[in-house]
Amino acid sequence: MKESARHIADAQKAITGHLGASTPLHRITDEKTIDKHRTAMCGRIHAPQGKDCDEYPFAATKEGGNPRRGSIRVISASDNRAAGARLGGFYKSQRVLNGDAYYVGIK
């Protein structure tokens, strides 16, 4: 998931407040809101076959869905989907519930 990690690291440096690094993100679980966030960030991006639009902050966060305070990058679909699965696993294993704050560290 090197492409996703690089995108997150670059976005955290570029976005005012360093969202997810020094300022926490807040999980949301409402699927309609998550879809709106994803559309707001990636709705106009037509990624070529085998690629996906990756958004940061994540669509499943209160901070997501704001193009003025976010970042998008076209990355490989397999990398993006693996990163999404890992994020979902993190939410489950760490019991990150709706509204909970968390940080994102890139190693």
Side-chain angles (χ1 to χ4, degrees):
M1 298 168 287
K2 290 182 180 186
E3 292 176 84
S4 294
R6 172 56 38 212
H7 181 210
I8 292 167
D10 291 346
Q12 286 178 336
K13 290 176 190 168
I15 298 169
T16 302
H18 308 289
L19 294 173
S22 59
T23 304
L25 298 176
H26 299 84
R27 184 179 184 201
I28 59 170
T29 57
D30 180 72
E31 290 297 327
K32 287 183 181 181
T33 303
I34 293 168
D35 288 343
K36 286 180 185 177
H37 284 184
R38 196 168 282 122
T39 299
M41 295 298 290
C42 289
R44 296 181 183 191
I45 303 299
H46 299 287
Q49 187 168 353
K51 301 282 187 174
D52 280 348
C53 176
D54 182 41
E55 79 282 342
Y56 187 85
F58 311 120
T61 64
K62 181 180 89 173
E63 297 75 17
N66 183 346
R68 293 182 303 275
R69 289 209 54 190
S71 175
I72 59 171
R73 186 175 290 176
V74 174
I75 64 173
S76 74
S78 59
D79 187 292
N80 190 41
R81 293 170 192 180
R86 191 168 191 179
L87 179 62
F90 163 75
Y91 288 153
K92 186 174 183 176
S93 70
Q94 301 302 308
R95 298 192 60 180
V96 181
L97 305 175
N98 190 56
D100 285 352
Y102 65 95
Y103 293 90
V104 179
I106 301 298
K107 297 180 182 183

